[in-house]
Amino acid sequence: MKNKRKQFDYVRWIFVLPALVIVGVLLIYPIFSSLYYSMTTKHLIKPAYDFIGLANYQAVLTDPEFFQAFFTSIIWTVCSLTGQILIGFTSALAINRVKHGKGVYRTLMIIPWAFPTIVIALSWKWILNGVSGFLPNLLVQLGICGTLPQFLSDNSMVFITLIFINIWFGAPMIMVNVLSALQTIPQDQYEAAQIDGASHFQQFYHITMPHIKVVVGLLIVLRTIWIFNNFDIIYLITGGGPADLTTTVPIYAYNMGWGTKMLGKSSAVTMLLLLFLLLICVVYFTILAKWEKEDK
Amino acid sequence: MKRKLVLILTGIMLAGSILTACGGDSKTDTTAAADGELEGDITFWHSFTQGARLEVIQEAADEFMEGNPNVNISIETFSWPDFYTKWTTGLASGNVPDMSTALPAYVVEMMDAEAIVPMDDLIDQIGRDKFSESALSEGEKDGVCYSMPLYSHAQVMWYRKDLLKDAGLEVPATWDQFAEAAKALTKDGIYGCSFPCGSSDQMATRFLNYYVRSGGGSLLTDDLQANITSDLALDGIRFWVDIYKNCSPKDSVNYAVLDQATLYYQGKTAFDFNSGFQISGVAANSPDMVDQIGCAPLPKINKDDPDYSAETSNTPLVVWQNSKHPEICKAFIEKLYEEDTYIKFLAATPVGMLPAIKGISETEAYRSNETVQKFIDAEQIIAKAVDMGTSIGFEHGPSIQAGLLNSQGVIERMFQNILTNGEDVETAAQAAEDELNELFRIIQ
């Protein structure tokens, strides 16, 4: 026991200490403070608050608006992710086949990522404006629509419009990453498959897919978290409206914390969100681990 | 062993330096000079986002700093919604300014949170009798005034003279006449009136309040409960739903104040409701249209109903409790009320900002302004409305409930549910009333 204590190297711990402190302050502290506040009546501008146990969780889990926001978030995530992967993946496969000017296409595709979200949101708001917007007026002038389509206020169009914008925004990121993965596949494998008479689909299924599935899997994990937590695009374009049709869980939590200033309740929502996303991550990473094991 | 000790000390110093860097407070702590001369740094948050007002305030600050060389005033500008987020979050972390502008509803919350200091000494110094009693009362708690009104304005009806003339219509005096005219003018790419109900702003609450106040009612009961299901309020809801369906762009269901005003500025709506700020907005966006705009008092339910005003805003200045130099803040505020500076400030948005202190509007310097002369009728209509009105819900005195009525978007979501989801008016109104009362209960 004495020998073990002697072997313990304090020096390396002291050098690691600053990094540990920063990680603690920036990551662990917010999580634990949220966990603590979620069990209190903490109000944004009132200094005094009480410990109330799990009452905030009970209030949130019995609020129909929370579940409406939760299901909106699920649909938002599934539709956006599916669209982003389909468009991003297809674009990557197409650009990978391009012989000349690949860099130009790639640059053009990632333009949405070059702009701050506020610029993108306000630009789309302007393009889709129901009175003077470019797109509604163009559709009327071309005779496609009889009246100005209301992309951001019609209850049957507003959510689909936001999902379209999110797909447009997120697909390039998938494209760039998948393209990078595609470029690591040895060409001789395709040549050997062609000699053996493999069809394009067989080459894709037996060569391309196994090489890129781990990258795609990781992208799905990251994009799921980002899309589920996405706040700015929806908030800046519709603010969660009209009639809460586009209110997702992050917007619900924001309204709770910054609108009604009930930080305790808002923290309970964010803790529930964290638990849900951790659960999703566990499922994804289990699948990814299985794929990696299969590859070995 | 020595080597280890040196390494340990180096590690501790490194950690210490990082922690110090993270925890440092950049705010300079200075004290008043021994000779009584003002000395120190203050931060002033204001919401005068338009160029002209911004410049006048900066000019006043520069002049003040010239006269007080040991004082430094840092000015930060935010739009009203950003300002609200900024001070509410800042209060929790102690990151609030030394002085700021505010809205009356914010002042109530600030007083409740004990975040601002009394201003009675400065009010007395400038002259308490110069201020309107009702404007001062908006920032009063237990007989102490916590805010000083800087300027005033009130909501009136704005119309397009040319459109009314072409259609052979008179300026509407009742809500029925208004609806009739708005419907008649909705054609050829022009909307009679946009009805805005975006939940990030208080516009639908404001519009419903016009109707309810015109009938002598209130959106709050005497015991400060929400009052959305009264017959008058239900009639008001139905009235605006009808206007939305027949005269308004459908996108207005998401509109905030600027979206709404921009439509009028661009000549796309025949009627709108706003203060005198409408003039500078039209002048900036459609200068050719300035001669075609006019204003009138808000419509009544019946023509012979008594005159009324639905909403007056007395935008005040406050000094924050956290300030290390309230004396500098108050001296600077006093400078802003000096006649020359004050008139120059009001002239940045003529007729938009009306004087909050008596005697200014009679001065030659104020009256000689070109826009004031041109819109003298509008100025008188708005000034009369200022005298008769209060902030929304303040007809029962300043209250947290009045603030929540405006800031939570509950009435806006109620309208959205009716207009977008086809919810029944009574059901939606009852749900909104219950939601507001629950919010009132929680805050208490």
Side-chain angles (χ1 to χ4, degrees):
Chain A
M1 184 69 188
K2 209 176 175 184
N3 283 343
K4 264 191 180 178
R5 279 185 75 178
K6 267 188 175 176
Q7 283 166 6
F8 190 82
D9 193 347
Y10 291 98
V11 177
R12 70 177 67 168
W13 279 100
I14 286 166
F15 276 101
V16 169
L17 188 66
L20 282 178
V21 168
I22 289 169
V23 170
V25 169
L26 295 181
L27 290 175
I28 298 167
Y29 172 75
I31 292 174
F32 280 95
S33 67
S34 283
L35 181 64
Y36 173 67
Y37 286 142
S38 72
M39 289 185 258
T40 67
T41 57
K42 175 80 178 160
H43 187 273
L44 191 59
I45 56 174
K46 292 197 168 194
Y49 57 89
D50 300 316
F51 185 81
I52 52 166
L54 298 175
N56 281 330
Y57 290 91
Q58 193 185 357
V60 170
L61 291 171
T62 52
D63 182 0
E65 283 181 23
F66 170 74
F67 284 101
Q68 192 191 326
F70 183 75
F71 287 118
T72 305
S73 285
I74 298 277
I75 299 168
W76 163 254
T77 308
V78 171
C79 293
S80 300
L81 190 64
T82 309
Q84 287 181 9
I85 298 230
L86 278 176
I87 306 275
F89 201 91
T90 315
S91 313
L93 287 173
I95 291 177
N96 196 40
R97 308 269 296 185
V98 170
K99 294 272 187 286
H100 305 290
K102 196 181 281 188
V104 176
Y105 287 114
R106 199 163 44 193
T107 308
L108 286 174
M109 286 289 287
I110 59 167
I111 278 177
W113 280 81
F115 292 97
T117 316
I118 179 83
V119 175
I120 284 167
L122 293 181
S123 300
W124 277 108
K125 230 179 146 176
W126 175 74
I127 291 168
L128 301 174
N129 184 296
V131 176
S132 52
F134 167 74
L135 192 59
N137 281 289
L138 181 71
L139 291 174
V140 170
Q141 280 167 15
L142 292 175
I144 296 169
C145 297
T147 55
L148 292 170
Q150 305 294 312
F151 289 105
L152 299 177
S153 55
D154 188 309
N155 59 356
S156 62
M157 292 170 80
V158 59
F159 195 49
I160 296 168
T161 304
L162 285 181
I163 288 172
F164 168 80
I165 294 170
N166 200 25
I167 291 171
W168 169 85
F169 181 65
M173 197 245 184
I174 306 272
M175 185 274 291
V176 169
N177 284 282
V178 172
L179 188 60
S180 306
L182 285 172
Q183 286 167 353
T184 63
I185 302 173
Q187 286 303 306
D188 52 3
Q189 291 190 12
Y190 288 108
E191 286 161 13
Q194 280 165 6
I195 292 166
D196 290 343
S199 67
H200 284 303
F201 178 75
Q202 283 171 324
Q203 287 177 43
F204 174 75
Y205 190 76
H206 293 289
I207 300 172
T208 310
M209 277 305 286
H211 274 97
I212 63 169
K213 69 181 181 187
V214 175
V215 172
V216 173
L218 273 172
L219 280 172
I220 290 174
V221 176
L222 292 174
R223 291 304 298 163
T224 301
I225 296 168
W226 288 344
I227 295 171
F228 202 92
N229 281 333
N230 188 284
F231 171 81
D232 41 12
I233 284 187
I234 303 179
Y235 192 78
L236 290 167
I237 296 178
T238 65
D244 290 335
L245 284 173
T246 57
T247 296
T248 52
V249 176
I251 290 179
Y252 174 87
Y254 175 85
N255 288 339
M256 189 74 75
W258 267 249
T260 61
K261 304 183 201 73
M262 290 187 280
L263 268 194
K265 222 170 167 184
S266 174
S267 299
V269 177
T270 53
M271 291 315 295
L272 289 169
L273 190 65
L274 178 69
L275 276 178
F276 176 74
L277 287 174
L278 282 176
L279 194 71
I280 296 280
C281 287
V282 168
V283 173
Y284 276 143
F285 281 121
T286 308
I287 295 169
L288 278 177
K290 199 180 153 200
W291 284 352
E292 279 178 355
K293 208 174 169 186
E294 279 171 8
D295 284 349
K296 281 173 190 169
Chain B
M1 184 63 195
K2 266 186 180 174
R3 194 170 147 260
K4 240 180 189 178
L5 192 66
V6 169
L7 286 170
I8 289 169
L9 287 173
T10 314
I12 290 169
M13 280 164 68
L14 189 62
S17 65
I18 288 172
L19 287 173
T20 310
C22 291
D25 186 353
S26 60
K27 202 167 187 176
T28 319
D29 186 10
T30 52
T31 52
D35 58 0
E37 198 179 314
L38 293 171
E39 184 178 345
D41 300 347
I42 62 164
T43 304
F44 176 24
W45 287 359
H46 70 66
S47 300
F48 308 133
T49 44
Q50 298 101 326
R53 294 198 290 174
L54 194 74
E55 283 160 22
V56 175
I57 290 288
Q58 186 60 58
E59 218 172 278
D62 291 343
E63 271 176 33
F64 186 81
M65 287 189 282
E66 212 173 297
N68 298 275
N70 297 321
V71 169
N72 182 44
I73 302 173
S74 306
I75 294 177
E76 295 176 31
T77 313
F78 308 102
S79 67
W80 283 118
D82 289 343
F83 175 73
Y84 186 70
T85 309
K86 190 90 178 153
W87 82 258
T88 48
T89 50
L91 196 58
S93 58
N95 185 23
V96 286
D98 294 274
M99 59 178 282
S100 73
T101 52
L103 288 177
Y106 297 173
V107 173
V108 179
E109 290 188 56
M110 290 167 181
M111 289 190 296
D112 192 53
E114 296 176 359
I116 49 180
V117 303
M119 302 286 272
D120 287 297
D121 49 348
L122 186 55
I123 292 169
D124 288 331
Q125 208 167 315
I126 291 172
R128 188 173 290 269
D129 56 341
K130 284 186 178 174
F131 293 92
S132 139
E133 212 173 294
S134 65
L136 284 180
S137 73
E138 289 182 350
E140 194 179 316
K141 191 180 178 187
D142 301 329
V144 178
C145 285
Y146 289 87
S147 66
M148 282 183 71
L150 182 62
Y151 65 89
S152 303
H153 56 94
Q155 297 289 308
V156 291
M157 179 180 71
W158 289 89
Y159 56 87
R160 283 274 301 279
K161 293 175 188 171
D162 53 339
L163 295 178
L164 283 177
K165 193 181 167 195
D166 291 349
L169 294 164
E170 294 291 317
V171 177
T174 67
W175 289 115
D176 285 343
Q177 289 172 357
F178 170 81
E180 205 179 307
K183 284 172 192 172
L185 295 175
T186 303
K187 59 183 180 188
D188 306 330
I190 302 281
Y191 297 92
C193 178
S194 168
F195 173 64
C197 44
S199 56
S200 61
D201 213 329
Q202 53 162 30
M203 296 300 283
T205 307
R206 171 175 277 174
F207 276 49
L208 179 59
N209 186 59
Y210 298 150
Y211 193 95
V212 171
R213 295 295 294 145
S214 72
S218 168
L219 292 174
L220 290 176
T221 60
D222 290 340
D223 57 349
L224 300 178
Q225 292 294 295
N227 190 19
I228 319 293
T229 55
S230 66
D231 289 342
L232 192 55
L234 291 174
D235 283 348
I237 296 168
R238 287 190 198 97
F239 177 83
W240 289 115
V241 168
D242 178 57
I243 293 293
Y244 175 84
K245 286 181 177 165
N246 293 295
C247 320
S248 176
K250 298 299 163 265
D251 255 11
S252 68
V253 76
N254 284 325
Y255 278 6
V257 63
L258 195 60
D259 305 308
Q260 172 77 3
T262 303
L263 274 193
Y264 187 84
Y265 299 162
Q266 293 175 340
K268 292 195 184 291
T269 44
F271 291 103
D272 195 12
F273 298 89
N274 202 343
S275 64
F277 276 87
Q278 202 82 336
I279 300 168
S280 55
V282 172
N285 287 272
S286 310
D288 296 344
M289 215 174 79
V290 172
D291 292 335
Q292 300 303 335
I293 64 170
C295 85
L298 295 172
K300 299 172 182 178
I301 292 178
N302 303 299
K303 208 168 184 176
D304 49 358
D305 284 347
D307 290 346
Y308 77 101
S309 171
E311 187 188 340
T312 293
S313 300
N314 298 297
T315 304
L317 288 167
V318 295
V319 175
W320 290 77
Q321 191 80 54
N322 275 17
S323 174
K324 287 174 183 164
H325 303 290
E327 74 288 352
I328 298 179
C329 299
K330 288 184 177 178
F332 179 53
I333 291 173
E334 200 180 350
K335 157 91 184 157
L336 293 177
Y337 282 93
E338 279 173 9
E339 194 171 298
D340 288 352
T341 312
Y342 193 60
I343 290 175
K344 208 189 272 183
F345 173 66
L346 297 176
T349 321
V351 189
M353 299 189 291
L354 300 187
I357 46 178
K358 290 170 191 160
I360 295 293
S361 57
E362 289 82 36
T363 59
E364 179 53 31
Y366 177 84
R367 300 218 80 82
S368 62
N369 182 284
E370 200 183 320
T371 308
V372 172
Q373 284 179 355
K374 188 172 186 171
F375 284 91
I376 193 72
D377 293 346
E379 201 246 12
Q380 282 166 3
I381 290 167
I382 298 167
K384 189 180 171 193
V386 165
D387 290 341
M388 286 192 295
T390 65
S391 292
I392 300 173
F394 275 42
E395 51 274 5
H396 307 278
S399 65
I400 292 280
Q401 286 85 341
L404 290 172
L405 188 70
N406 287 295
S407 66
Q408 298 303 307
V410 174
I411 291 174
E412 284 68 24
R413 282 199 298 279
M414 174 194 74
F415 273 108
Q416 289 183 348
N417 275 323
I418 297 167
L419 300 171
T420 310
N421 294 338
E423 200 167 318
D424 168 63
V425 167
E426 282 84 359
T427 313
Q430 187 63 60
E433 188 171 286
D434 293 345
E435 190 180 343
L436 279 167
N437 285 334
E438 177 61 11
L439 285 169
F440 296 169
R441 189 190 61 75
I442 290 168
I443 203 75
Q444 284 168 335

